[in-house]
Amino acid sequence: MVRADRFLLGVTGIHAEAGLTTGDADEAAMKRVLAERAAETYVLGSEEKIGAVSPFTVLPFDEVTGVIVDPAAPATSLAALDRRGVPLLRAG
């Protein structure tokens, strides 16, 4: 069984309403299991992923330690995430 101190989760969508999403159901399921087995899970949020939505939910925001966001991400999308209480860590 795989266990990790930190899991760096890649997703294709980070949206205030839709949550953390990806384009493949099996990939979403695998990432949920990996996150369950990690002490901390951080989401990697590059500019094009912030505000985007894909078909399959990976995790709700309350199950991640933080979302590392690109400072060039759209300010309105970052503000929406911040209003929801998403723990944002600005890269830079």
Side-chain angles (χ1 to χ4, degrees):
M1 179 180 299
V2 174
R3 296 220 182 265
D5 291 332
R6 278 183 207 88
F7 174 40
L8 300 177
L9 172 62
V11 296
T12 56
I14 302 170
H15 189 273
E17 298 302 319
L20 302 168
T21 59
T22 194
D24 182 88
D26 290 335
E27 179 182 330
M30 177 199 61
K31 289 179 177 188
R32 280 192 292 277
V33 170
L34 290 170
E36 280 177 16
R37 295 179 181 172
E40 297 178 323
T41 297
Y42 290 92
V43 181
L44 304 173
S46 57
E47 178 182 358
E48 70 277 0
K49 295 176 183 181
I50 306 294
V53 178
S54 293
F56 301 98
T57 300
V58 178
L59 289 172
F61 289 115
D62 63 355
E63 291 187 25
V64 299
T65 307
V67 179
I68 302 166
V69 296
D70 187 332
T76 54
S77 295
L78 290 176
L81 291 167
D82 196 42
R83 281 192 300 277
R84 289 202 55 131
V86 175
L88 300 177
L89 304 163
R90 293 187 183 357

